[in-house]
Amino acid sequence: MYNRTEIILEAYPYEFSDIQKGRGVYICLDQDGGRKILKEFSGSASKARLLDQFLIYLKNSGSITEQIVYTKEEQPIFTDLDETRYYMRTWFEGRECDTRNREDILCAVRRLAQFHINAADFKEQVPDTMCRAADFLENEYERHTRELHKVRNYIKAKKKKNEFEARFLNEYSHYIKQAQEASDRLHDLPKRPGEEFFGICHGDYNQHNLLFTASGPVIINYEHFCKDAYVSDFAHFFRKIMEKHNWNTGLGMDMVSAYDKVRRLNRWEKQQLSVRMAYPEKFWKVANHYFNSRKSWANSRDSEKLAKICAQEKERTEFLRMMQLEVFC
């Protein structure tokens, strides 16, 4: 693999003196002391060019932003012999957002809100393949709910059940009710309340994709960017943090307030956030992992995750009730 990486690097207009393996990437040190990131790219050359335009736009708007490095052939991606695509981008020295640090979390939320404000003025045409349909989330929840039914039916048909399977059946009715109620609430919300709530989203905003550098917080890894409701980015980050903090109400409200002070959340967006938190996403993820793994093995990790979900349910339910009845609706 190292030799293959060297072959890929020959396509770029730099001489590299060192290559280090990172989390899904190669950190490449050039002879001038600069560092670049090489990683796989799941998209076409046209998507890479649009991403390049977007990153240049962000940079020209005053944001500290990574930039794509073109090959010697002036291409934004390099396609290997096995048709695997790669792209190279500039690299920042910094630390990831610490999910145990309240100030880091609130800074990450404010930075996301500012990113959404900046992204709103990007005027390039985004192809339909990169635009989430108005009913995307509704269809996704329906699919997830069908999959939960499928897992339930599979486990019920088994004569001998392991620890995970027994607990899943015991908890199933509680979470499937939540799934159906969240889907019903989502169905009743307007599909497109206004184009000002939709635009370029990061697509995978989490603690790993925000670096604290000497120049300030920097968002990285934009390759999943798409056009969607801005609240989708916020909800993705919000859920991850709330799960890590046992659905701490004070922290949750501080995160909403931090985002709202930079970019105003309207009623529809708050209702969307409430619905997205109400759908039992984590329960579905564990069930999906179980169903798509080798069921002949009693996966202790799945059992641990399910136990953690259930242990947090009281705090989660209280937080959801507060969101739905006292603040957002």
Side-chain angles (χ1 to χ4, degrees):
M1 184 63 198
Y2 184 79
N3 291 335
R4 172 193 259 186
T5 305
E6 287 186 321
I7 292 171
I8 296 171
L9 293 180
E10 288 177 359
Y12 290 91
Y14 293 93
E15 292 291 332
F16 295 100
S17 59
D18 187 37
I19 305 170
Q20 298 176 357
K21 188 77 168 66
R23 185 193 297 120
V25 303
Y26 290 93
I27 304 170
C28 309
L29 178 67
D30 64 44
Q31 290 187 335
D32 295 328
R35 295 191 179 188
K36 308 291 187 296
I37 292 291
L38 178 72
K39 66 183 300 186
E40 289 189 23
F41 186 80
S42 57
S44 63
S46 60
K47 180 181 178 180
R49 289 192 181 92
L50 182 61
L51 174 57
D52 181 51
Q53 290 177 296
F54 181 59
L55 294 176
I56 291 173
Y57 159 79
L58 290 178
K59 181 180 179 180
N60 292 339
S61 299
S63 297
I64 305 170
T65 312
E66 63 194 26
Q67 299 293 302
I68 291 180
V69 178
Y70 275 57
T71 68
K72 294 174 183 176
E73 302 296 325
E74 293 297 316
Q75 297 298 317
I77 59 174
F78 174 84
T79 304
D80 204 355
L81 293 176
D82 63 359
E83 299 300 316
T84 302
R85 298 185 179 95
Y86 297 88
Y87 85 120
M88 182 178 286
R89 60 176 173 80
T90 52
W91 184 83
F92 293 97
E93 181 75 54
R95 64 173 181 85
E96 292 184 353
C97 173
D98 184 353
T99 58
R100 299 165 298 179
N101 186 309
R102 194 183 192 92
E103 284 307 310
D104 273 18
I105 293 168
L106 297 181
C107 181
V109 170
R110 291 190 293 267
R111 183 66 188 86
L112 177 64
Q114 187 60 54
F115 163 70
H116 288 155
I117 291 174
N118 295 342
D121 291 329
F122 183 64
K123 302 304 182 184
E124 295 295 329
Q125 183 67 35
V126 179
D128 291 343
T129 54
M130 292 177 58
C131 298
R132 293 282 170 83
D135 59 354
F136 172 82
L137 187 62
E138 192 172 339
N139 291 336
E140 184 175 78
Y141 283 174
E142 289 177 358
R143 176 170 55 83
H144 288 180
T145 301
R146 288 196 302 270
E147 289 168 357
L148 285 172
H149 285 309
K150 187 175 182 179
V151 175
R152 188 274 311 266
N153 292 339
Y154 171 81
I155 293 176
K156 280 187 70 175
K158 292 186 68 177
K159 293 182 179 180
K160 187 176 182 180
K161 299 172 179 58
N162 61 36
E163 178 185 355
F164 172 86
E165 294 161 344
R167 184 157 201 168
F168 178 87
L169 289 182
N170 188 55
E171 301 290 345
Y172 176 82
S173 60
H174 172 75
Y175 288 103
I176 201 66
K177 181 181 179 182
Q178 287 186 354
Q180 292 165 343
E181 289 176 349
S183 294
D184 290 343
R185 287 173 58 196
L186 182 63
H187 179 75
D188 292 338
L189 289 178
K191 298 294 185 295
R192 287 280 182 178
E195 286 303 312
E196 66 269 26
F197 308 126
F198 297 83
I200 298 294
C201 293
H202 183 276
D204 189 27
Y205 192 73
N206 58 51
Q207 69 272 21
H208 304 301
N209 290 332
L210 182 76
L211 295 181
F212 287 89
T213 74
S215 301
V218 177
I219 299 174
I220 61 173
N221 293 330
Y222 287 89
E223 58 263 31
H224 296 289
F225 80 123
C226 61
K227 187 174 183 180
D228 197 358
Y230 293 127
V231 72
S232 65
D233 266 347
F234 184 37
H236 182 72
F237 183 75
F238 191 89
R239 176 187 292 279
K240 287 182 177 295
I241 298 301
M242 293 303 288
E243 289 171 350
K244 290 180 181 294
H245 285 264
N246 198 30
W247 296 89
N248 182 289
T249 298
L251 176 60
M253 290 300 94
D254 284 349
M255 290 171 67
V256 173
S257 178
Y259 186 99
D260 188 67
K261 285 180 180 178
V262 178
R263 178 185 171 275
R264 188 74 175 174
L265 288 164
N266 91 319
R267 180 182 177 84
W268 179 83
E269 290 178 303
K270 292 177 179 179
Q271 289 175 324
Q272 273 271 328
L273 181 62
S274 176
V275 169
R276 288 169 186 257
M277 294 306 104
Y279 192 88
E281 189 77 13
K282 196 74 171 180
F283 184 74
W284 167 79
K285 282 184 178 179
V286 173
N288 186 62
H289 182 268
Y290 155 82
F291 193 72
N292 290 292
S293 61
R294 291 184 60 180
K295 303 174 198 64
S296 57
W297 295 354
N299 193 323
S300 61
R301 186 62 176 153
D302 285 339
S303 295
E304 291 171 4
K305 287 184 176 181
L306 182 56
K308 184 177 180 179
I309 292 168
C310 297
Q312 289 186 333
E313 187 57 18
K314 180 180 178 181
E315 288 76 14
R316 176 175 173 271
T317 300
E318 287 300 315
F319 180 76
L320 293 175
R321 184 179 296 115
M322 180 276 300
M323 288 185 77
Q324 186 176 356
L325 299 179
E326 296 183 17
V327 179
F328 296 107
C329 300

